[in-house]
Amino acid sequence: MAEGPRYRPANSFETPRFSGIRTFMRLPHNQDLPNSDVAVVGAPFDTGATFRSGARFGPAGIRAASHLLRPYNPSLGVQVFDHLSVIDYGDVPVVPGYIEESYERIGAGLEELHRSGTLPIVLGGDHSIALPELRAAAAVHGPIALVQFDAHADTWDSYFGKQHTHGTPFRRAVEEGLLDTGRSIQVGMRGSLYEPADIEDSREMGFEVITTDEVRETGIPSTIERIRQRVGDAKVYVSFDVDFVDPAYAPGTGTPEIGGFTSRESQEFVRGLSGLRLVGCDVVEVYPAYDPAEITAFLAANVAHELLSMIALQRASALDPAVGGDSVG
Ligand code: MN
Ligand code: MN
């Protein structure tokens, strides 16, 4: 990283957390990529939604809720901004109603981040944005592993005769060769399907799939261990669809499925990934209009905070020759 300024949130002992413009965690808003290790990026797009709409307001909702977050993560023991210079990049450009044009713009914006070595934390947006995210990451890093937390596999072939929706991005990603499927894993699938093949299709594409029923049988620690085994030392993208979480804890989402995980369990899953070689991540499918008391936005902001903490730990160990490890990108 360049020897320029380091970016961190406003000091909440000097100005209250409810004050100021709503950037993520009260971070500076700029696009100074050479001086940023991590950029929080909004992708305010919901043209891919097949049921409810409104995820275009997800980034704004998550940013507003994120003002409550503090910089130290006691569970992971990391003072995030001691290790990372972080900006709120603002939003990548989108064209509402035009998915392929939006994909080009989202992908181009994110590719610039990857090329500069700035790791993106993308705030969605419906899950269709995962395809341009993965295109951008793969353009720089080559085929990458995917860890997807989601009630749905999002590997359907098409909806309404269209190839690009929030139910299809990971099938497209496999077809485009963006993923190292042998290192990729989908966790949390549950709820009614169209047919039995819906889950098997994912496995045939090469993904390991762990359904919610299976997690409930074997437990969260063993599931985390399976994820870590699967990914190994591959470069990995983590995609967190908030419908992974039960609608009691995440009601503000596009396609809710009952019988999911609690917010606490979701934190455990994300923390369990600490030490993996993250090259990018997202938190998607937050629909503020369906989100009483900002329940889902708080959850999503906290998931993003866990991911950020994990990146800080990764960076801390990479800088410590005693620990070894690989630099982020
Ligand atoms: Mn999804
Ligand atoms: Mn989903």
Side-chain angles (χ1 to χ4, degrees), residues 61-62 64-69 249 286 291 293-304:
I62 299 168
S66 75
H67 273 218
L68 193 61
L69 294 166
Y249 300 87
V286 173
D291 193 27
E294 301 175 89
I295 299 169
T296 316
F298 278 119
L299 172 96
N302 276 277
V303 169

Side-chain angles (χ1 to χ4, degrees), residues 127 150-152 154 241 243-244 255 285:
H127 219 162
D150 201 327
H152 316 93
D154 297 345
D241 182 330
D243 69 29
F244 174 75
T255 43
E285 296 281 343

Side-chain angles (χ1 to χ4, degrees), residues 148-154 185-191 193 199 202 208-214 244 261:
Q148 178 190 352
F149 295 106
D150 201 327
H152 316 93
D154 297 345
I185 186 162
Q186 302 178 301
V187 183
M189 286 71 235
R190 65 178 189 276
L193 296 169
I199 291 282
S202 263
E208 183 170 348
V209 179
I210 307 181
T211 64
T212 293
D213 285 346
E214 202 177 342
F244 174 75
F261 297 98

Side-chain angles (χ1 to χ4, degrees), residues 14-70:
E14 290 171 4
T15 53
R17 283 176 286 168
F18 53 79
S19 66
I21 294 165
R22 292 296 194 266
T23 60
F24 187 80
M25 275 189 89
R26 313 180 73 212
L27 285 162
H29 166 43
N30 65 56
Q31 299 187 343
D32 181 8
L33 300 182
N35 290 302
S36 305
D37 300 301
V38 177
V40 178
V41 182
F45 185 69
D46 57 17
T47 298
T50 57
F51 193 64
R52 290 171 172 171
S53 59
R56 66 181 63 181
F57 296 110
I62 299 168
R63 285 184 171 113
S66 75
H67 273 218
L68 193 61
L69 294 166
R70 304 175 189 88

